[in-house]
Amino acid sequence: MESKPIVSIENLTKVIKGRTIIDDLSFDVYRGEVFGFLGPNGAGKTTTIRMIVGLMSITSGDIKIDGFSIQKNFEKAVQSVGAIVENPEMYKFLSGYQNLQQYARMVGGVSKAKIDEIVDLVGLSERIDDKVKTYSLGMRQRLGLAQCLLHDPAVLILDEPTNGLDPAGIREIRDYLRFLAKEKNMAVIVSSHILSEMEMMCDRIGIIQNGKLVDVQQVKEFVQGAAETIVEFEVTPLPQAISVLGERYPNLSIQKGERTITLTIAKELIPDIIKAFVHTDLKVYGVRELTKTLEDRFLEITKGDGGKIL
Ligand SMILES: Nc1ncnc2c1ncn2[C@@H]1O[C@H](COP(=O)(O)OP(=O)(O)O)[C@@H](O)[C@H]1O
Ligand SMILES: [Mg+2]
């Protein structure tokens, strides 16, 4: 990851009819990463993205893309951006290739070789001469993706790109986006209200709730960063194990399974607990740290007020 951000959101605020829709949002996105913008429906994802691509005016604050302000230097700023915000406009009775040619003429300076390269990149080579009306939703998505990659943007922005796709389509999109970030060194910004998808797709995630940024974290840290961890001990006999724990750690809440006990504890406590078991002649067959999912962490951060996030 480079040290200079390619996208800088600076105290971005949007007020519509006296209502603050986006409230003092600040974050940076870098080349080489997939940044996830996660939040329940109505949180303000689309509004933020519309401001980033210049489809909506900014009430206060600024957005800089490659150092250019979207407000003061719009042309230069959007030059670096490819985006699918609303459904991309496609001519259904033209072939995929003709659609791309059409678009290439509009933006200018796109060679035929470039079109072929992008078609290949999004894996549409075999069907590119078929009419768009024969395409699946996933293929249309890929054609849309091809369209916004034609002018070689440094930043790719997709608003809820997996909406309506089947699992195979979702996986495909995910693989392309990761490829574009890692191999083409692009900055990819995706929004979603689906935690599990973001967990698999993104390097970092910014959580937005009621127009406010609640948290930005690396996905890895996000999942592992909790102060406490969940640990499962397989130990016999269980009743003795529980009484040993009860004596030493009276405040611990113990979840008893059939052959295991599960504790939510600070990691440092694990060796002490093992020692206590061994010293009292209990048999420890296994100790397993259960990783928290993004969802667990999300609920922690938002204190269970996750809204409609799946
Ligand atoms: N043009 C608009 N006029 C009034 N309210 C709007 C407008 N656009 C969005 N909103 C409101 O702003 C909030 C955020 O919407 P949106 O950005 O679409 O959320 P998300 O994309 O996260 O689902 C919602 O409460 C929505 O009703
Ligand atoms: Mg939206």
Side-chain angles (χ1 to χ4, degrees), residues 257-288:
E258 209 166 293
R259 295 169 49 203
T260 60
I261 40 185
T262 304
L263 311 170
T264 302
I265 48 170
K267 202 171 172 128
E268 294 80 61
L269 223 52
I270 298 175
D272 295 345
I273 290 176
I274 295 175
K275 209 187 289 170
F277 285 158
V278 173
H279 275 182
T280 43
D281 274 339
L282 296 171
K283 292 194 171 102
V284 180
Y285 287 96
V287 180
R288 199 157 65 97

mmCIF file of all heavy atoms in Angstrom, residues 257-288:
data_model
loop_
_atom_site.group_PDB
_atom_site.id
_atom_site.type_symbol
_atom_site.label_atom_id
_atom_site.label_comp_id
_atom_site.label_asym_id
_atom_site.label_seq_id
_atom_site.Cartn_x
_atom_site.Cartn_y
_atom_site.Cartn_z
ATOM 1 N N GLY A 257 -20.281 -27.127 26.945
ATOM 2 C CA GLY A 257 -20.727 -27.960 25.830
ATOM 3 C C GLY A 257 -20.732 -29.406 26.268
ATOM 4 O O GLY A 257 -20.631 -29.705 27.467
ATOM 5 N N GLU A 258 -20.869 -30.303 25.294
ATOM 6 C CA GLU A 258 -20.929 -31.718 25.643
ATOM 7 C C GLU A 258 -19.589 -32.195 26.196
ATOM 8 O O GLU A 258 -19.530 -32.858 27.225
ATOM 9 C CB GLU A 258 -21.314 -32.525 24.417
ATOM 10 C CG GLU A 258 -22.065 -33.789 24.751
ATOM 11 C CD GLU A 258 -22.719 -34.353 23.500
ATOM 12 O OE1 GLU A 258 -23.658 -33.698 22.973
ATOM 13 O OE2 GLU A 258 -22.259 -35.388 23.032
ATOM 14 N N ARG A 259 -18.522 -31.829 25.477
ATOM 15 C CA ARG A 259 -17.190 -32.248 25.937
ATOM 16 C C ARG A 259 -16.245 -31.063 26.084
ATOM 17 O O ARG A 259 -15.040 -31.235 26.261
ATOM 18 C CB ARG A 259 -16.600 -33.245 24.940
ATOM 19 C CG ARG A 259 -17.406 -34.553 24.891
ATOM 20 C CD ARG A 259 -16.982 -35.420 23.732
ATOM 21 N NE ARG A 259 -15.541 -35.591 23.654
ATOM 22 C CZ ARG A 259 -14.883 -35.917 22.553
ATOM 23 N NH1 ARG A 259 -15.535 -36.078 21.429
ATOM 24 N NH2 ARG A 259 -13.572 -36.058 22.573
ATOM 25 N N THR A 260 -16.792 -29.893 25.959
ATOM 26 C CA THR A 260 -15.934 -28.703 25.963
ATOM 27 C C THR A 260 -16.525 -27.606 26.844
ATOM 28 O O THR A 260 -17.718 -27.613 27.146
ATOM 29 C CB THR A 260 -15.814 -28.112 24.536
ATOM 30 O OG1 THR A 260 -17.124 -27.766 24.096
ATOM 31 C CG2 THR A 260 -15.165 -29.088 23.585
ATOM 32 N N ILE A 261 -15.654 -26.668 27.204
ATOM 33 C CA ILE A 261 -16.154 -25.431 27.793
ATOM 34 C C ILE A 261 -15.613 -24.272 26.962
ATOM 35 O O ILE A 261 -14.479 -24.307 26.486
ATOM 36 C CB ILE A 261 -15.737 -25.248 29.271
ATOM 37 C CG1 ILE A 261 -14.311 -25.696 29.482
ATOM 38 C CG2 ILE A 261 -16.675 -25.943 30.209
ATOM 39 C CD1 ILE A 261 -13.889 -25.651 30.919
ATOM 40 N N THR A 262 -16.445 -23.284 26.786
ATOM 41 C CA THR A 262 -16.065 -22.145 25.961
ATOM 42 C C THR A 262 -16.050 -20.896 26.831
ATOM 43 O O THR A 262 -17.001 -20.636 27.576
ATOM 44 C CB THR A 262 -17.056 -21.973 24.798
ATOM 45 O OG1 THR A 262 -17.092 -23.208 24.073
ATOM 46 C CG2 THR A 262 -16.631 -20.867 23.866
ATOM 47 N N LEU A 263 -14.949 -20.162 26.740
ATOM 48 C CA LEU A 263 -14.785 -18.970 27.559
ATOM 49 C C LEU A 263 -14.467 -17.768 26.685
ATOM 50 O O LEU A 263 -13.770 -17.897 25.685
ATOM 51 C CB LEU A 263 -13.618 -19.162 28.542
ATOM 52 C CG LEU A 263 -13.597 -20.447 29.364
ATOM 53 C CD1 LEU A 263 -12.262 -20.578 30.081
ATOM 54 C CD2 LEU A 263 -14.741 -20.422 30.378
ATOM 55 N N THR A 264 -14.958 -16.612 27.085
ATOM 56 C CA THR A 264 -14.548 -15.375 26.426
ATOM 57 C C THR A 264 -13.573 -14.683 27.371
ATOM 58 O O THR A 264 -13.951 -14.214 28.443
ATOM 59 C CB THR A 264 -15.764 -14.482 26.143
ATOM 60 O OG1 THR A 264 -16.669 -15.223 25.325
ATOM 61 C CG2 THR A 264 -15.357 -13.215 25.405
ATOM 62 N N ILE A 265 -12.301 -14.711 26.996
ATOM 63 C CA ILE A 265 -11.250 -14.257 27.918
ATOM 64 C C ILE A 265 -10.173 -13.473 27.184
ATOM 65 O O ILE A 265 -10.090 -13.507 25.966
ATOM 66 C CB ILE A 265 -10.553 -15.472 28.594
ATOM 67 C CG1 ILE A 265 -10.195 -16.502 27.514
ATOM 68 C CG2 ILE A 265 -11.417 -16.074 29.671
ATOM 69 C CD1 ILE A 265 -9.315 -17.620 28.007
ATOM 70 N N ALA A 266 -9.348 -12.762 27.957
ATOM 71 C CA ALA A 266 -8.157 -12.138 27.371
ATOM 72 C C ALA A 266 -7.205 -13.260 26.982
ATOM 73 O O ALA A 266 -7.104 -14.269 27.674
ATOM 74 C CB ALA A 266 -7.495 -11.226 28.396
ATOM 75 N N LYS A 267 -6.516 -13.079 25.861
ATOM 76 C CA LYS A 267 -5.643 -14.131 25.339
ATOM 77 C C LYS A 267 -4.586 -14.563 26.370
ATOM 78 O O LYS A 267 -4.232 -15.740 26.461
ATOM 79 C CB LYS A 267 -4.960 -13.604 24.078
ATOM 80 C CG LYS A 267 -4.482 -14.700 23.172
ATOM 81 C CD LYS A 267 -4.020 -14.131 21.842
ATOM 82 C CE LYS A 267 -3.360 -15.249 21.055
ATOM 83 N NZ LYS A 267 -3.900 -15.400 19.717
ATOM 84 N N GLU A 268 -4.111 -13.570 27.161
ATOM 85 C CA GLU A 268 -3.048 -13.864 28.143
ATOM 86 C C GLU A 268 -3.487 -14.914 29.162
ATOM 87 O O GLU A 268 -2.664 -15.533 29.821
ATOM 88 C CB GLU A 268 -2.648 -12.594 28.925
ATOM 89 C CG GLU A 268 -2.000 -11.519 28.097
ATOM 90 C CD GLU A 268 -3.037 -10.711 27.335
ATOM 91 O OE1 GLU A 268 -3.900 -10.085 27.968
ATOM 92 O OE2 GLU A 268 -2.989 -10.749 26.090
ATOM 93 N N LEU A 269 -4.767 -15.072 29.301
ATOM 94 C CA LEU A 269 -5.270 -15.996 30.316
ATOM 95 C C LEU A 269 -5.182 -17.463 29.887
ATOM 96 O O LEU A 269 -5.230 -18.376 30.729
ATOM 97 C CB LEU A 269 -6.735 -15.631 30.622
ATOM 98 C CG LEU A 269 -7.160 -15.626 32.085
ATOM 99 C CD1 LEU A 269 -6.232 -14.778 32.923
ATOM 100 C CD2 LEU A 269 -8.603 -15.104 32.201
ATOM 101 N N ILE A 270 -5.000 -17.691 28.583
ATOM 102 C CA ILE A 270 -5.022 -19.078 28.088
ATOM 103 C C ILE A 270 -3.962 -19.959 28.779
ATOM 104 O O ILE A 270 -4.306 -21.014 29.322
ATOM 105 C CB ILE A 270 -4.875 -19.137 26.546
ATOM 106 C CG1 ILE A 270 -6.064 -18.414 25.882
ATOM 107 C CG2 ILE A 270 -4.827 -20.589 26.055
ATOM 108 C CD1 ILE A 270 -5.964 -18.309 24.366
ATOM 109 N N PRO A 271 -2.674 -19.555 28.807
ATOM 110 C CA PRO A 271 -1.686 -20.423 29.456
ATOM 111 C C PRO A 271 -1.981 -20.639 30.941
ATOM 112 O O PRO A 271 -1.761 -21.750 31.449
ATOM 113 C CB PRO A 271 -0.355 -19.680 29.267
ATOM 114 C CG PRO A 271 -0.679 -18.362 28.689
ATOM 115 C CD PRO A 271 -2.056 -18.390 28.164
ATOM 116 N N ASP A 272 -2.471 -19.605 31.618
ATOM 117 C CA ASP A 272 -2.781 -19.757 33.053
ATOM 118 C C ASP A 272 -3.861 -20.807 33.263
ATOM 119 O O ASP A 272 -3.787 -21.609 34.193
ATOM 120 C CB ASP A 272 -3.284 -18.418 33.633
ATOM 121 C CG ASP A 272 -2.193 -17.364 33.605
ATOM 122 O OD1 ASP A 272 -1.022 -17.749 33.425
ATOM 123 O OD2 ASP A 272 -2.528 -16.166 33.728
ATOM 124 N N ILE A 273 -4.851 -20.784 32.396
ATOM 125 C CA ILE A 273 -5.951 -21.735 32.554
ATOM 126 C C ILE A 273 -5.459 -23.164 32.273
ATOM 127 O O ILE A 273 -5.772 -24.091 33.011
ATOM 128 C CB ILE A 273 -7.132 -21.334 31.640
ATOM 129 C CG1 ILE A 273 -7.768 -20.053 32.199
ATOM 130 C CG2 ILE A 273 -8.164 -22.456 31.564
ATOM 131 C CD1 ILE A 273 -8.883 -19.480 31.367
ATOM 132 N N ILE A 274 -4.645 -23.308 31.230
ATOM 133 C CA ILE A 274 -4.104 -24.643 30.926
ATOM 134 C C ILE A 274 -3.298 -25.154 32.121
ATOM 135 O O ILE A 274 -3.431 -26.304 32.547
ATOM 136 C CB ILE A 274 -3.220 -24.610 29.658
ATOM 137 C CG1 ILE A 274 -4.070 -24.255 28.432
ATOM 138 C CG2 ILE A 274 -2.525 -25.966 29.441
ATOM 139 C CD1 ILE A 274 -3.285 -24.077 27.156
ATOM 140 N N LYS A 275 -2.473 -24.258 32.671
ATOM 141 C CA LYS A 275 -1.637 -24.635 33.822
ATOM 142 C C LYS A 275 -2.525 -25.107 34.983
ATOM 143 O O LYS A 275 -2.268 -26.142 35.604
ATOM 144 C CB LYS A 275 -0.788 -23.432 34.263
ATOM 145 C CG LYS A 275 0.533 -23.842 34.895
ATOM 146 C CD LYS A 275 1.272 -22.655 35.464
ATOM 147 C CE LYS A 275 1.834 -21.726 34.390
ATOM 148 N NZ LYS A 275 2.344 -20.465 34.961
ATOM 149 N N ALA A 276 -3.575 -24.353 35.244
ATOM 150 C CA ALA A 276 -4.473 -24.694 36.354
ATOM 151 C C ALA A 276 -5.108 -26.061 36.135
ATOM 152 O O ALA A 276 -5.202 -26.874 37.062
ATOM 153 C CB ALA A 276 -5.550 -23.618 36.485
ATOM 154 N N PHE A 277 -5.510 -26.341 34.908
ATOM 155 C CA PHE A 277 -6.099 -27.653 34.591
ATOM 156 C C PHE A 277 -5.077 -28.765 34.827
ATOM 157 O O PHE A 277 -5.363 -29.770 35.459
ATOM 158 C CB PHE A 277 -6.553 -27.693 33.124
ATOM 159 C CG PHE A 277 -7.814 -26.923 32.843
ATOM 160 C CD1 PHE A 277 -8.108 -26.490 31.555
ATOM 161 C CD2 PHE A 277 -8.731 -26.643 33.854
ATOM 162 C CE1 PHE A 277 -9.273 -25.792 31.271
ATOM 163 C CE2 PHE A 277 -9.905 -25.946 33.589
ATOM 164 C CZ PHE A 277 -10.166 -25.510 32.291
ATOM 165 N N VAL A 278 -3.876 -28.579 34.310
ATOM 166 C CA VAL A 278 -2.843 -29.620 34.391
ATOM 167 C C VAL A 278 -2.460 -29.869 35.854
ATOM 168 O O VAL A 278 -2.330 -31.002 36.286
ATOM 169 C CB VAL A 278 -1.619 -29.238 33.536
ATOM 170 C CG1 VAL A 278 -0.466 -30.218 33.751
ATOM 171 C CG2 VAL A 278 -1.990 -29.193 32.050
ATOM 172 N N HIS A 279 -2.341 -28.780 36.615
ATOM 173 C CA HIS A 279 -1.969 -28.905 38.019
ATOM 174 C C HIS A 279 -2.984 -29.673 38.839
ATOM 175 O O HIS A 279 -2.672 -30.238 39.878
ATOM 176 C CB HIS A 279 -1.762 -27.507 38.635
ATOM 177 C CG HIS A 279 -0.384 -26.990 38.388
ATOM 178 N ND1 HIS A 279 0.076 -25.797 38.867
ATOM 179 C CD2 HIS A 279 0.647 -27.533 37.691
ATOM 180 C CE1 HIS A 279 1.317 -25.613 38.467
ATOM 181 N NE2 HIS A 279 1.687 -26.657 37.748
ATOM 182 N N THR A 280 -4.230 -29.662 38.396
ATOM 183 C CA THR A 280 -5.249 -30.388 39.155
ATOM 184 C C THR A 280 -5.551 -31.729 38.490
ATOM 185 O O THR A 280 -6.620 -32.307 38.696
ATOM 186 C CB THR A 280 -6.534 -29.545 39.283
ATOM 187 O OG1 THR A 280 -6.808 -28.935 38.030
ATOM 188 C CG2 THR A 280 -6.415 -28.482 40.335
ATOM 189 N N ASP A 281 -4.578 -32.199 37.683
ATOM 190 C CA ASP A 281 -4.668 -33.529 37.069
ATOM 191 C C ASP A 281 -5.839 -33.715 36.111
ATOM 192 O O ASP A 281 -6.328 -34.825 35.943
ATOM 193 C CB ASP A 281 -4.730 -34.619 38.158
ATOM 194 C CG ASP A 281 -3.316 -34.988 38.579
ATOM 195 O OD1 ASP A 281 -2.387 -34.720 37.784
ATOM 196 O OD2 ASP A 281 -3.143 -35.512 39.695
ATOM 197 N N LEU A 282 -6.266 -32.630 35.513
ATOM 198 C CA LEU A 282 -7.308 -32.757 34.496
ATOM 199 C C LEU A 282 -6.610 -33.050 33.164
ATOM 200 O O LEU A 282 -5.448 -32.718 32.970
ATOM 201 C CB LEU A 282 -8.108 -31.456 34.390
ATOM 202 C CG LEU A 282 -8.889 -31.103 35.650
ATOM 203 C CD1 LEU A 282 -9.460 -29.699 35.541
ATOM 204 C CD2 LEU A 282 -10.005 -32.102 35.867
ATOM 205 N N LYS A 283 -7.343 -33.682 32.266
ATOM 206 C CA LYS A 283 -6.762 -33.996 30.951
ATOM 207 C C LYS A 283 -7.218 -32.965 29.931
ATOM 208 O O LYS A 283 -8.405 -32.829 29.661
ATOM 209 C CB LYS A 283 -7.201 -35.389 30.516
ATOM 210 C CG LYS A 283 -6.593 -36.484 31.382
ATOM 211 C CD LYS A 283 -6.773 -37.826 30.703
ATOM 212 C CE LYS A 283 -6.002 -38.898 31.417
ATOM 213 N NZ LYS A 283 -6.884 -39.721 32.264
ATOM 214 N N VAL A 284 -6.235 -32.246 29.370
ATOM 215 C CA VAL A 284 -6.547 -31.234 28.351
ATOM 216 C C VAL A 284 -6.284 -31.841 26.974
ATOM 217 O O VAL A 284 -5.163 -32.174 26.630
ATOM 218 C CB VAL A 284 -5.690 -29.965 28.533
ATOM 219 C CG1 VAL A 284 -6.031 -28.931 27.475
ATOM 220 C CG2 VAL A 284 -5.872 -29.385 29.931
ATOM 221 N N TYR A 285 -7.344 -32.044 26.220
ATOM 222 C CA TYR A 285 -7.201 -32.655 24.892
ATOM 223 C C TYR A 285 -7.067 -31.618 23.776
ATOM 224 O O TYR A 285 -6.592 -31.930 22.695
ATOM 225 C CB TYR A 285 -8.397 -33.556 24.596
ATOM 226 C CG TYR A 285 -8.368 -34.839 25.392
ATOM 227 C CD1 TYR A 285 -9.078 -34.957 26.581
ATOM 228 C CD2 TYR A 285 -7.604 -35.914 24.961
ATOM 229 C CE1 TYR A 285 -9.039 -36.119 27.317
ATOM 230 C CE2 TYR A 285 -7.555 -37.086 25.695
ATOM 231 C CZ TYR A 285 -8.273 -37.191 26.873
ATOM 232 O OH TYR A 285 -8.221 -38.329 27.596
ATOM 233 N N GLY A 286 -7.512 -30.430 24.064
ATOM 234 C CA GLY A 286 -7.420 -29.446 22.995
ATOM 235 C C GLY A 286 -7.794 -28.054 23.461
ATOM 236 O O GLY A 286 -8.602 -27.898 24.389
ATOM 237 N N VAL A 287 -7.178 -27.070 22.855
ATOM 238 C CA VAL A 287 -7.522 -25.674 23.109
ATOM 239 C C VAL A 287 -7.671 -25.019 21.747
ATOM 240 O O VAL A 287 -6.764 -25.080 20.929
ATOM 241 C CB VAL A 287 -6.417 -24.944 23.897
ATOM 242 C CG1 VAL A 287 -6.812 -23.497 24.146
ATOM 243 C CG2 VAL A 287 -6.117 -25.656 25.197
ATOM 244 N N ARG A 288 -8.812 -24.434 21.498
ATOM 245 C CA ARG A 288 -9.062 -23.886 20.171
ATOM 246 C C ARG A 288 -9.571 -22.449 20.309
ATOM 247 O O ARG A 288 -10.511 -22.188 21.051
ATOM 248 C CB ARG A 288 -10.114 -24.739 19.465
ATOM 249 C CG ARG A 288 -10.152 -24.585 17.966
ATOM 250 C CD ARG A 288 -10.777 -25.827 17.353
ATOM 251 N NE ARG A 288 -12.172 -25.937 17.748
ATOM 252 C CZ ARG A 288 -13.179 -25.511 16.978
ATOM 253 N NH1 ARG A 288 -12.951 -24.959 15.813
ATOM 254 N NH2 ARG A 288 -14.420 -25.645 17.397
#
